[in-house]
Amino acid sequence: MIIASNFKTNHTRASTQKYISEVTNFVKNSSSKSELIVFPSATSLDKFDTSITIGAQNAYATANGAFTGEIGLDQLDEFEIKTILIGHSERRHVLGETQELISSKFNFYKEQGFKIVYCVGEPLNVREQGNKAILEYIDTQLVGIDLDYNDLIVAYEPVWAIGTGLTPSNEDIELIHSTLKKTIKSPILYGGSVKVNIAKDILSLKSVDGILVGSGALKSEDYIEMIKISDDLA
Ligand code: PGA
């Protein structure tokens, strides 16, 4: 299973280094088969001595150029980063990224052979309209996205569940994931308020291939607990 940790705007270079070395040490001394991905903030990216995959939370669809405040392929290449998160709800809804911009990032980093963790998920007003509306909404977030791309991981993250402590029922997660699986062959992660105490239930769902965790995995010991849960279920 895939256990991914998204730091968002949390952790400094020093605390990122500490986190990654603690998790790396745990993995070294275990027989963990889980696939681990950590997304530090841009200023904490580095060439870490680790078996964990390090990914960028965001980058512009460019190698370099005049895009103030952004980072591009050259900055990621420096640290041999080949994994990127695209379409996260905070980029869509807080930073205002359009589907057009998101798909251009997707296509650029796909051309570069990156592993792409691509996020979709509905806001509350859509959730309230039921499953058909949710699936139609997610379809609009897949426009311009090559679902046959080999190195794609999809993350289903309902906007209303992110950072709120709310989660869909296990039945609702399973229903959305199993429906998405009819058209998506890539692994599908669940994200949105996953904590250690509910990780097992969610990871046990048939159509869930892993989790993308924000606040619940900011402490290395909690992330390690989730890795252990995933290993136990494997
Ligand atoms: P959360 O964030 O676990 O804090 O809800 C998940 C995410 O945004 O990826």
Side-chain angles (χ1 to χ4, degrees):
M1 267 175 294
I2 301 165
I3 311 295
S5 171
N6 174 13
F7 284 6
K8 308 189 181 185
T9 319
N10 298 293
H11 281 304
T12 59
R13 281 184 77 74
S15 65
T16 298
Q17 180 74 54
K18 185 165 176 283
Y19 183 108
I20 289 172
S21 77
E22 284 164 359
V23 178
T24 305
N25 283 339
F26 163 76
V27 175
K28 243 187 227 162
N29 298 312
S30 79
S31 51
S32 178
K33 296 252 180 327
S34 300
E35 182 179 344
L36 307 182
I37 311 175
V38 173
F39 295 97
S41 69
T43 62
S44 302
L45 294 177
D46 211 333
K47 210 187 267 180
F48 295 96
D49 179 17
T50 183
S51 57
I52 304 167
T53 299
I54 304 296
Q57 292 176 21
N58 174 51
Y60 206 65
T62 189
N64 51 54
F67 304 100
T68 301
E70 295 289 320
I71 59 170
L73 181 65
D74 287 355
Q75 286 79 37
L76 299 180
D77 276 351
E78 183 180 17
F79 302 128
E80 293 169 12
I81 288 166
K82 283 289 203 187
T83 300
I84 186 167
L85 193 61
I86 294 179
H88 189 279
S89 95
E90 284 144 18
R91 305 267 348 148
R92 291 179 190 269
H93 299 288
V94 182
L95 283 309
E97 287 193 2
T98 61
Q99 186 59 28
E100 199 183 351
L101 181 83
I102 290 167
S103 61
S104 76
K105 286 184 183 186
F106 183 97
N107 285 315
F108 181 84
Y109 285 98
K110 174 189 144 188
E111 288 302 310
Q112 304 300 327
F114 271 53
K115 182 188 291 291
I116 299 176
V117 179
Y118 185 75
C119 304
V120 298
E122 80 290 352
L124 188 58
N125 67 314
V126 175
R127 158 75 38 171
E128 284 164 349
Q129 293 164 43
N131 292 325
K132 188 165 172 277
I134 296 172
L135 291 160
E136 281 169 6
Y137 186 89
I138 292 174
D139 268 349
T140 67
Q141 298 180 312
L142 296 173
V143 171
I145 304 302
D146 176 8
L147 294 177
D148 292 326
Y149 180 48
N150 245 340
D151 242 334
L152 170 66
I153 297 170
V154 172
Y156 169 58
E157 301 202 301
V159 179
W160 54 273
I162 296 178
T164 58
L166 303 171
T167 49
S169 67
N170 290 336
E171 292 71 28
D172 284 343
I173 295 174
E174 179 58 29
L175 187 132
I176 299 296
H177 277 234
S178 58
T179 311
L180 292 177
K181 274 186 176 290
K182 289 180 188 157
T183 46
I184 300 173
K185 294 182 295 295
S186 318
I188 306 183
L189 316 182
Y190 169 78
S193 292
V194 179
K195 308 283 180 233
V196 170
N197 65 328
I198 57 168
K200 184 172 178 202
D201 286 350
I202 293 175
L203 287 169
S204 302
L205 296 171
K206 191 166 165 279
S207 304
V208 170
D209 302 302
I211 45 179
L212 173 56
V213 191
S215 50
L218 281 179
K219 290 185 182 150
S220 58
E221 58 267 33
D222 290 336
Y223 187 50
I224 289 169
E225 278 311 308
M226 292 179 192
I227 300 167
K228 287 184 190 161
I229 292 167
S230 152
D231 289 340
D232 286 347
L233 289 169

